[in-house]
Amino acid sequence: MKQLKVIQGDITQFQGDAIVNAANTTLMGGGGVDGAIHRAAGPALYAACEKFHGCPTGEARITSGFNLPAKYIIHTPGPIWRGGYSGEPQLLANSYQNSLRLADRYGCQTVAFPSISTGVYAYPLGKAAAIAVQTIQKFMVKARNIREVTMVCFDTKTFQAYQDQVEHRLP
Ligand code: APR
C-alpha cells in the first residue's frame, strides 16, 4: 500500500532507504537542513559532492548516506522564491519529481523529504506544501519501487501545513 506520511522531526535520523537534501546549486553544503545532513553524514559527503561540479535548480544528484542511517542522500537545489513569476512552481515540482525518479531508479522503497525551499529560500509554506504533496502523490501512482514517502517537518508550523495538504487533497 503506497502512502505519504507527515511527521515532525530531524531528517538526519530517518531510518529509511533515502533522504532528500534541500541543497544549493554548488552542492558544497550550507546552513539549514543541508548543514545538518553534511554534519551528520561526515566529511566524505563533501568529497562525494565535489565530483558533480554543482547541480542546476530542480535537478537531483545521488550519493551514499555515509554515516547517516539512510543508505542514500539525494541532493536537489530548490528554487529561491522571487515572487512566483520566475518559474518557481515548476522548479519546485521538478525538485520533488527528479528526486523521486532517482530514488525509484536506485530501488528505494522508503524516502524522506524536508520542506524544500521554505527556509532560507523563502518559498511561501502553503504554496510549497501544495506543490510537494501534489507532485509526490502523482509520482506514487506509477512508482515501481517506492512504497512510502515521509515528509519530515522540523517545526510545528511546517508539520501542520503538510498535514493539511495530505488531509484535504482528493486521492
Ligand atoms: N530535518 C528536517 N528539516 C530540517 C532540518 C532537519 N534537520 N533542518 C532544517 N530543516 C527544515 C527547515 O526548518 C525548513 O523547513 O528544512 C526546511 C528547508 O529549509 P532550508 O534548510 O533553509 O532549505 P531551503 O529553504 O531549501 O534553502 C536552501 O539553505 O542551507 C542552505 O545550502 C542550503 O543554500 C541552500 C539553502
Side-chain angles (χ1 to χ4, degrees):
M1 181 336 224
K2 294 179 183 175
Q3 64 170 2
L4 170 54
K5 285 168 59 179
V6 184
I7 65 169
Q8 188 165 339
D10 173 355
I11 200 167
T12 63
Q13 309 294 318
F14 183 70
Q15 301 284 331
D17 297 328
I19 66 166
V20 176
N21 178 23
N24 59 55
T25 53
T26 71
L27 294 189
M28 292 284 92
V33 70
D34 193 6
I37 288 173
H38 272 268
R39 277 193 300 279
L45 175 58
Y46 188 89
C49 286
E50 266 187 317
K51 72 173 189 303
F52 294 121
H53 302 296
C55 177
T57 299
E59 291 191 21
R61 301 290 185 269
I62 192 166
T63 67
S64 158
F66 297 105
N67 299 338
L68 287 175
K71 193 172 167 197
Y72 297 110
I73 307 168
I74 293 170
H75 308 263
T76 184
I80 297 170
W81 180 255
R82 303 180 196 282
Y85 301 100
S86 312
E88 298 97 317
Q90 187 57 59
L91 286 168
L92 184 61
N94 292 353
S95 272
Y96 282 96
Q97 192 167 51
N98 287 322
S99 299
L100 289 164
R101 277 193 187 135
L102 258 184
D104 210 38
R105 195 187 314 157
Y106 275 70
C108 298
Q109 295 188 22
T110 55
V111 184
F113 281 93
S115 175
I116 299 172
S117 285
T118 64
V120 166
Y121 281 1
Y123 207 113
L125 182 52
K127 294 179 187 297
I131 290 172
V133 171
Q134 182 184 7
T135 307
I136 293 166
Q137 288 182 332
K138 196 163 156 241
F139 185 89
M140 292 295 270
V141 170
K142 62 185 181 186
R144 288 202 315 278
N145 299 300
I146 301 174
R147 58 176 172 73
E148 186 176 270
V149 174
T150 304
M151 286 304 309
V152 181
C153 304
F154 206 45
D155 56 57
T156 315
K157 188 167 59 70
T158 305
F159 172 81
Q160 203 50 62
Y162 283 85
Q163 189 72 352
D164 288 352
Q165 285 299 324
V166 172
E167 280 170 357
H168 300 124
R169 274 182 56 75
L170 295 175

